[in-house]
Amino acid sequence: MTDRRIDDAHTGGVDYIAVEESAPFQELKRRQRRFVFPLAVVFLVWYFAYVLLSSFAPEFMAQPVSGAITVGLLLGLGQFVTTFAITMGYVAYANRQLDPGAEQLRHELEQAEGGRA
């Protein structure tokens, strides 16, 4: 098995392993994970609660709220609302917290690549 760093040094390419191990890249990964993992856990708990309620508490889910609208219907629609809210929140977070750092890394890599060509 060959060492990719040695291979990249011979071809003049960017050492992507070194970039991945760099402090700025690791910080970007930490920021992204700090946002994504807790929200993923919260959403999965919310999703499985809905599934379990629909399986084991059908009387509760069938309770009418207004006319033909039931608790189960509102909770099901809440799943869609939650999905869109999480997506919008992540996009806003990425635009504010992740993209500037990623853009800086990209700029540095392009500068390094351009300097070798």
Side-chain angles (χ1 to χ4, degrees), residues 70-110:
T70 63
V71 171
L73 179 63
L74 291 178
L75 292 178
L77 292 174
Q79 294 285 318
F80 289 101
V81 172
T82 305
T83 301
F84 288 115
I86 288 172
T87 302
M88 291 178 357
Y90 179 76
V91 168
Y93 178 79
N95 286 341
R96 273 190 336 273
Q97 300 294 325
L98 302 177
D99 289 351
E103 188 62 35
Q104 178 64 32
L105 275 174
R106 180 175 162 236
H107 178 70
E108 290 171 8
L109 288 172
E110 288 174 348

Side-chain angles (χ1 to χ4, degrees), residues 10 19 33 72 84 92 101:
H10 291 293
V19 171
R33 288 177 181 159
F84 288 115

